[in-house]
Amino acid sequence: MKKLILARGADVALSQDEAGDIDEMGARSRAPIRRLALWGAILLACIVVGVVVITTGLRERALGSGKRELENTVLLLVRHFDQRAEDFEAIQRDLDARIRALRIESARAFKDAMSGEDVRLILNANSPSDVTSVNVFDATGMLINSSAALPDASLDTYGQSILQSLESETASSRAAVLLTSGSSVGDWGVAISHRVTTPSGELLGFVTKIVPSTVFERFFASVVLGEESSIALLHSDGTLLARYPHMEAAIGKRAGRRSLFAIANLTDGRASARIVSPFDGKDRLAAMRPLSQLPLAIIATVTVPAALSYWRDQTLLLIAVASIMVVVVAMVLFLIGRQISRQHQAARRKLAIERHRLDTAINNMTHGLLLFDSSQRLVICNQQYINMFGLSLEEAKPGHSLRSLLMRRKELGSFKGDVDAYCVAVRDTREPGQSSIETLDGRSVFLRYQPLSDGGWVVTTEDITERSRYEAHITHLAHYDPLTDLPNRALFREKLEQKFKLIDCNEPFAVFYIDLDDFKRINDSLGHPIGDELLKEVAVRLRQCLTSADSVARLGGDEFAIVRSDVAHESDLGNFAEMILAAVRQPYDCAGHRISVDASIGIALAPRDSAELDELLKNADLAMYAAKAEGRRTWRFFRPELNVRMKARQELEQDLRQIIEGSGLSAGGFEIHYQPLVSLHDDIITGCEALLRWRHPTLGMISPAEFIPVAEDTGLINVLGEWVLRTACAEAVSWPDHVRLAVNVSPIQFGGQALGLTVAAALAAFGLAACRLELEVTEAVLIRDIGSTVAIINELRAFGVSFSLDDFGTGYSSLNYLQHFPFDRIKIDRMFVREITEVSGSSSIVQAVVNIASARNMATVAEGVETQQQLDVLRAVGCTEIQGFLCGAPMPAADIRRLFSLPPAKKVAAS
Ligand code: C2E
Ligand code: CA
Ligand code: CA
């Protein structure tokens, strides 16, 4: 059993295989989604990497530009301060010019020349507004003049410090800078001092201007660029002199080794770098540039976070944009993926449903179906095929090779050929084909092979067992008699045709035509079911007579035929015919009836009697009729003269028709002779039997025994019989009243209901009394339709007509009839009379008949009495009447009339 699972979302049951296939399809359907996700991830990664790369680059640029900005700032500041330094040098130049003009060459002279009010005015006039004071010191550091009206007392102490710092300066540098501090907090100042020397270079003193730190810081404040940035003025030894923003605690402190000074360019003292501030410990970008004339340096800084603030904003914006992009891309990818997934799911469901439908269709079709691919691998095998060949599901799974399938079928017995050869043949066959095979359990399977363009092929199979059986049944019905199951006439002819094809090979064969004698009588008297039973039994017996080379057929009715091969001698055929007759004659027990039957057989030999099928059959038929004609219960070979006889019979029939339809019977040579019947009681003629004669224009006198059967066979007997009746009645009217007229009536005439009317009309037409007419019927009339026959007989008897049973003893049931039929007279057949005088003759039989007849008040007539001895015996047994040549042969009407005119004694004397 297939395990069933339910596909999600689809209201269909799928087999495990189907689900497997659909899973596979699902996996295939997920591949594009995975690809999409991968590409999406790559795109997102690219965005992220791009953002990182861009922001990193921007950061570096931000830092770089921050640095450059700082460098530019310090450059501008340095230029500014260099400019201011030149102004200060102007004072110095004035002083120098005065010294040279006054030829001051000693410290003393200097002190004197510089301490005057005039000099103070010069200092005052030249002192810039942002400078606290311009002071002149002597070579010992003593203040000798000042621009200020009341110079600060501390200036003296500064003078010593300045002197020291000037001495520590390199000889080339004329200037020195010193940080000064005032009395109050934050009251810092920068003292910038210049040497004053003699032209020979001897120190005379120095000029100092003191600039408050706040002056610098205010100026820096106007320049400084933004938050977190600073500008500072440092001594070239690293001491912080002024800073914006102001940092009280750091003023006067020296930058350490790790400051910009450590990395300053040796030639111009410039430096820019990212450093940790020695003053506030912050991570800063810094640019430094020394003043060209003074041992001062300007340092501008900005904290790294501040330098990067624009970058940060940009980065945040970029990240925001990138994030939006990422979200949008992710959303788009998600939606695409979901759409694809939905489409695939829908497609999957649809496929599952279609697959299910297809599978249902394939598995519920009446055909078996196999589909192979070009590598001879199974693609589809439906349930019908599996059932048809008794395979298991596992053995018919897709992927199995043709070879393995055939090997399995060979094991199971449904494949008989060579597996490998078959596989090769299938591979090489590119044309459609079909074949049928038989399975072990006896079923027929029809295979149709259809190659496919891709190299594979389809095989459909329909179990055609039922159809074959049905066809076989139809064929059987067409060829076999349903009652006896013997071959019918059609098959018999086919078999004969086969025989004729071999006739050249010197293989003679014989055809036996077998016709049951008086079968109709049995059929009519006992009924058709018993007749059928009898025919079946006859068929069985005929079969038992055959060898394997022979065949028997039922040609129809009670006619059978046998084809006998291996004909060595003609005598063998005679013996075989006797054997058949013996077999047929054995009494039968049919539904409680014990029945005896006999047969007539005609034999024709091929190729001797004919080498042509129809002719051979006709010849066998003729031979059979010959046997019938010659007393039945026997067999006859075909003889060429039978043909002659048949021809003659046909000619006779033709003549008969012409006469009846044309000139009329009398003109055609028909006449009636009358034979007297003589009573043994008083030896007088009591009646005459009308016997028909035909004086044929070319053949002469023809016996009624010859033409009556022809007339009976053709139905002409009805016309003929009526003519006899009317002619004889017309004649008998002229006879003495006691002489009755006996007329023979054929069984055929009992066939219609008209016999009674015909008789009555004839009697009435000629005025013959009904009691003078006697109708002679044979036993044959009784075995026809008993009921209607008895009805006609009773009707005519009631009318006054009497009946005699003709030819008694030649029939079958003899005495039995006498009990059931109302006859007036029994005519004992000539056969008995002929033997009545012999020692072991028929006298006792005749005696018995006479006794039975007299017991039933029936008269007896002995036919064909020719001798006195016969007459004597008949008289002795008590027979009532005689008829025969002894009393008079049949004679023309005129002779009978003449006879009646003779005296009665003479009549008997004629015997
Ligand atoms: P059947 O009715 O038995 O007629 C008697 C036959 O015996 C007649 O032959 C007659 O000639 C013959 N016969 C009479 N006496 C003797 C004798 O002493 N010795 C011999 N050997 N024969 C004798 P027939 O006339 O040749 O008729 C033959 C049969 O034809 C008749 O047999 C009868 O069955 C039939 N037949 C004749 N005329 C008619 C007729 O008009 N209608 C019908 N249905 N049948 C007829
Ligand atoms: Ca008769
Ligand atoms: Ca008779």
Side-chain angles (χ1 to χ4, degrees):
M1 275 297 290
K2 272 194 173 185
K3 200 169 134 201
L4 295 177
I5 57 173
L6 205 66
R8 191 158 54 91
D11 187 21
V12 289
L14 301 176
S15 74
Q16 213 166 35
D17 293 352
E18 291 162 348
D21 290 354
I22 288 165
D23 282 351
E24 193 182 304
M25 186 212 161
R28 278 203 303 274
S29 79
R30 281 193 291 276
I33 296 177
R34 273 206 296 269
R35 268 203 301 281
L36 189 72
L38 181 66
W39 284 111
I42 290 172
L43 183 61
L44 295 178
C46 283
I47 292 173
V48 171
V49 169
V51 168
V52 169
V53 168
I54 290 168
T55 51
T56 316
L58 285 176
R59 189 171 185 275
E60 290 309 313
R61 278 171 64 179
L63 290 175
S65 71
K67 240 190 246 176
R68 269 193 306 283
E69 203 176 341
L70 293 172
E71 282 169 2
N72 292 338
T73 305
V74 292
L75 177 65
L76 292 172
L77 288 169
V78 163
R79 281 217 185 119
H80 173 80
F81 288 114
D82 279 349
Q83 191 70 46
R84 299 296 294 272
E86 276 174 21
D87 297 345
F88 184 52
E89 272 186 35
I91 300 169
Q92 204 181 336
R93 274 194 304 277
D94 285 351
L95 286 176
D96 282 349
R98 190 175 184 87
I99 287 164
R100 271 187 295 273
L102 294 172
R103 297 195 185 233
I104 296 168
E105 287 185 352
S106 68
R108 185 73 205 165
F110 178 72
K111 190 175 173 181
D112 292 343
M114 290 297 146
S115 58
E117 186 62 18
D118 53 338
V119 171
R120 196 188 67 83
L121 288 174
I122 295 169
L123 292 179
N124 203 349
N126 284 302
S127 133
S129 59
D130 55 352
V131 172
T132 312
S133 59
V134 179
N135 307 292
V136 180
F137 294 86
D138 67 5
T140 63
M142 286 285 287
L143 182 69
I144 51 179
N145 208 344
S146 174
S147 65
L150 288 170
D152 197 331
S154 63
L155 280 172
D156 287 336
T157 52
Y158 287 149
Q160 290 304 312
S161 302
I162 293 166
L163 190 63
Q164 279 171 19
S165 67
L166 279 172
E167 281 170 351
S168 69
E169 290 292 334
T170 54
S172 60
S173 173
R174 293 176 58 201
V177 174
L178 192 71
L179 181 69
T180 65
S181 72
S183 52
S184 58
V185 172
D187 194 10
W188 297 97
V190 178
I192 303 165
S193 309
H194 281 271
R195 291 164 195 267
V196 181
T197 58
T198 61
S200 60
E202 196 179 328
L203 181 71
L204 296 174
F206 48 91
V207 181
T208 301
K209 68 168 175 182
I210 297 173
V211 183
S213 290
T214 52
V215 170
F216 289 103
E217 288 176 354
R218 269 201 302 278
F219 182 69
F220 290 161
S222 69
V223 174
V224 88
L225 296 167
E227 276 179 43
E228 298 284 321
S229 58
S230 70
I231 301 174
L233 179 72
L234 287 97
H235 191 279
S236 58
D237 66 359
T239 306
L240 183 67
L241 303 177
R243 184 180 186 272
Y244 178 84
H246 181 74
M247 198 180 216
E248 182 62 30
I251 303 293
K253 286 218 173 117
R254 258 176 97 163
R257 285 180 165 277
R258 284 156 64 197
S259 72
L260 281 178
F261 293 92
I263 57 163
N265 196 313
L266 281 176
T267 51
D268 59 9
R270 270 195 295 158
S272 62
R274 181 174 167 181
I275 54 159
V276 176
S277 167
F279 305 115
D280 61 7
K282 287 187 180 168
D283 187 10
R284 285 176 179 273
L285 291 180
M288 178 179 82
R289 202 172 180 102
L291 271 59
S292 50
Q293 300 299 327
L294 297 172
L296 287 173
I298 303 290
I299 294 183
T301 72
V302 65
T303 58
V304 169
L308 293 177
S309 72
Y310 177 70
W311 165 81
R312 211 167 27 245
D313 292 346
Q314 272 190 322
T315 300
L316 283 176
L317 184 67
L318 193 65
I319 286 172
V321 170
S323 300
I324 290 170
M325 268 173 71
V326 166
V327 168
V328 168
V329 167
M331 279 291 284
V332 167
L333 292 179
F334 170 74
L335 290 176
I336 292 174
R338 195 173 64 170
Q339 187 63 19
I340 291 175
S341 164
R342 278 182 185 169
Q343 280 174 354
H344 276 291
Q345 260 181 20
R348 230 179 115 189
R349 262 200 302 276
K350 202 172 157 200
L351 186 81
I353 290 167
E354 277 172 8
R355 176 70 188 264
H356 180 73
R357 283 182 189 153
L358 186 69
D359 274 12
T360 307
I362 285 175
N363 283 321
N364 284 289
M365 59 197 269
T366 51
H367 294 62
L369 178 80
L370 277 187
L371 177 65
F372 282 94
D373 63 15
S374 55
S375 57
Q376 301 201 331
R377 295 266 160 204
L378 195 56
V379 180
I380 293 174
C381 177
N382 74 349
Q383 198 61 43
Q384 274 61 35
Y385 188 91
I386 290 170
N387 296 346
M388 212 173 272
F389 293 103
L391 300 169
S392 71
L393 275 177
E394 183 54 39
E395 286 156 359
K397 234 181 159 177
H400 279 278
S401 66
L402 170 66
R403 193 173 182 283
S404 68
L405 193 75
L406 291 178
M407 290 300 279
R408 180 63 188 136
R409 273 186 46 196
K410 198 174 173 95
E411 277 170 32
L412 293 170
S414 65
F415 183 83
K416 296 192 180 70
D418 180 77
V419 170
D420 290 318
Y422 189 88
C423 288
V424 170
V426 166
R427 190 194 62 205
D428 296 343
T429 306
R430 298 317 299 161
E431 291 296 319
Q434 55 191 45
S435 62
S436 39
I437 56 166
E438 290 281 326
T439 61
L440 258 199
D441 55 358
R443 286 175 305 116
S444 314
V445 176
F446 179 77
L447 293 150
R448 196 184 295 267
Y449 168 88
Q450 177 68 48
L452 301 176
S453 57
D454 66 356
W457 72 94
V458 168
V459 175
T460 46
T461 61
E462 188 200 7
D463 190 337
I464 54 162
T465 313
E466 282 310 310
R467 197 176 81 188
S468 301
R469 276 186 198 148
Y470 182 70
E471 282 173 357
H473 182 61
I474 296 286
T475 309
H476 191 84
L477 284 183
H479 289 101
Y480 288 83
D481 165 46
L483 180 69
T484 60
D485 204 35
L486 290 181
N488 62 11
R489 187 183 285 271
L491 183 59
F492 177 69
R493 285 184 66 94
E494 274 178 33
K495 285 187 176 179
L496 267 186
E497 276 166 11
Q498 297 301 321
K499 284 263 167 209
F500 271 106
K501 283 183 185 152
L502 296 171
I503 210 149
D504 292 339
C505 312
N506 201 19
E507 279 187 39
F509 61 91
V511 173
F512 289 70
Y513 254 53
I514 304 158
D515 190 280
L516 298 185
D517 294 335
D518 283 315
F519 170 73
K520 194 157 176 39
R521 171 181 56 89
I522 294 162
N523 217 9
D524 289 343
S525 58
L526 300 175
H528 288 265
I530 289 176
D532 287 350
E533 280 303 307
L534 178 65
L535 288 173
K536 277 200 240 178
E537 279 302 312
V538 169
V540 169
R541 292 195 190 170
L542 290 179
R543 263 210 200 98
Q544 286 166 352
C545 295
L546 306 183
T547 66
S548 60
D550 306 334
S551 60
V552 60
R554 183 184 174 207
L555 302 183
D558 58 350
E559 258 184 275
F560 297 87
I562 289 174
V563 181
R564 181 142 174 98
S565 305
D566 300 331
V567 181
H569 299 286
E570 217 172 279
S571 61
D572 292 345
L573 296 174
N575 293 337
F576 183 65
E578 285 295 346
M579 190 171 98
I580 293 170
L581 286 177
V584 170
R585 272 172 199 153
Q586 293 296 315
Y588 300 83
D589 277 317
C590 294
H593 293 267
R594 195 169 171 80
I595 303 170
S596 293
V597 77
D598 221 307
S600 303
I601 302 175
I603 309 167
L605 197 61
R608 190 195 69 183
D609 295 337
S610 175
E612 199 268 316
L613 190 143
D614 285 314
E615 194 179 32
L616 186 75
L617 294 183
K618 192 197 77 187
N619 290 348
D621 198 30
L622 282 177
M624 191 272 287
Y625 273 104
K628 288 256 187 228
E630 290 169 41
R632 309 180 166 195
R633 316 167 183 207
T634 186
W635 54 271
R636 288 291 180 269
F637 275 113
F638 167 77
R639 302 183 306 274
E641 57 264 35
L642 292 179
N643 254 328
V644 177
R645 212 184 281 179
M646 171 62 74
K647 240 189 190 134
R649 192 183 147 102
Q650 282 168 352
E651 280 168 7
L652 216 57
E653 181 189 330
Q654 218 171 343
D655 292 345
L656 207 53
R657 277 185 196 282
Q658 272 174 6
I659 288 168
I660 289 170
E661 289 161 12
S663 54
L665 289 159
S666 315
F670 282 93
E671 55 191 72
I672 298 172
H673 284 197
Y674 300 89
Q675 185 177 29
L677 285 94
V678 175
S679 164
L680 290 186
H681 178 66
D682 46 17
D683 292 343
I684 58 162
I685 297 172
T686 50
C688 288
E689 182 179 359
L691 291 162
L692 190 57
R693 295 289 178 266
W694 186 10
R695 204 179 295 274
H696 194 274
T698 52
L699 301 173
M701 207 63 152
I702 306 174
S703 162
E706 261 185 71
F707 66 82
I708 290 288
V710 176
E712 283 180 334
D713 285 350
T714 55
L716 295 171
I717 190 70
N718 286 310
V719 183
L720 213 52
E722 190 178 348
W723 181 81
V724 170
L725 188 66
R726 291 179 75 90
T727 310
C729 281
E731 183 61 35
V733 176
S734 62
W735 299 342
D737 287 345
H738 69 278
V739 178
R740 61 180 203 276
L741 168 69
V743 177
N744 293 287
V745 179
S746 161
I748 306 296
Q749 289 173 271
F750 276 84
Q753 294 295 319
L755 184 64
L757 282 176
T758 308
V759 172
L763 290 173
F766 304 103
L768 188 72
C771 60
R772 288 184 63 191
L773 179 66
E774 185 167 88
L775 299 180
E776 295 193 5
V777 295
T778 60
E779 281 174 306
V781 82
L782 302 175
I783 61 177
R784 295 183 74 85
D785 190 339
I786 296 172
S788 67
T789 302
V790 171
I792 294 168
I793 292 174
N794 281 336
E795 184 189 36
L796 285 168
R797 284 191 83 221
F799 195 56
V801 177
S802 57
F803 278 85
S804 60
L805 182 59
D806 207 353
D807 303 340
F808 185 82
T810 57
Y812 310 96
S813 33
S814 343
L815 297 170
N816 200 24
Y817 284 114
L818 300 178
Q819 293 176 343
H820 293 95
F821 291 96
F823 291 108
D824 302 280
R825 204 165 268 99
I826 293 172
K827 296 186 79 171
I828 300 165
D829 194 76
R830 200 163 67 231
M831 186 174 78
F832 296 103
V833 176
R834 200 165 51 219
E835 297 168 3
I836 202 165
T837 53
E838 288 168 21
V839 182
S840 56
S842 53
S843 60
S844 53
I845 298 173
V846 175
Q847 179 72 68
V849 174
V850 168
N851 291 345
I852 289 168
S854 66
R856 287 176 171 71
N857 287 322
M858 287 189 258
T860 42
V861 182
E863 290 182 315
V865 181
E866 295 178 355
T867 63
Q868 189 60 46
Q869 290 89 337
Q870 290 168 345
L871 174 63
D872 292 342
V873 175
L874 288 165
R875 205 185 281 274
V877 298
C879 191
T880 326
E881 288 165 298
I882 59 163
Q883 179 184 4
F885 296 160
L886 186 65
C887 311
M891 60 194 85
D895 291 358
I896 278 289
R897 261 182 252 150
R898 209 174 299 128
L899 193 64
F900 287 132
S901 64
L902 291 175
K906 278 270 173 99
K907 290 169 205 167
V908 180
S911 63

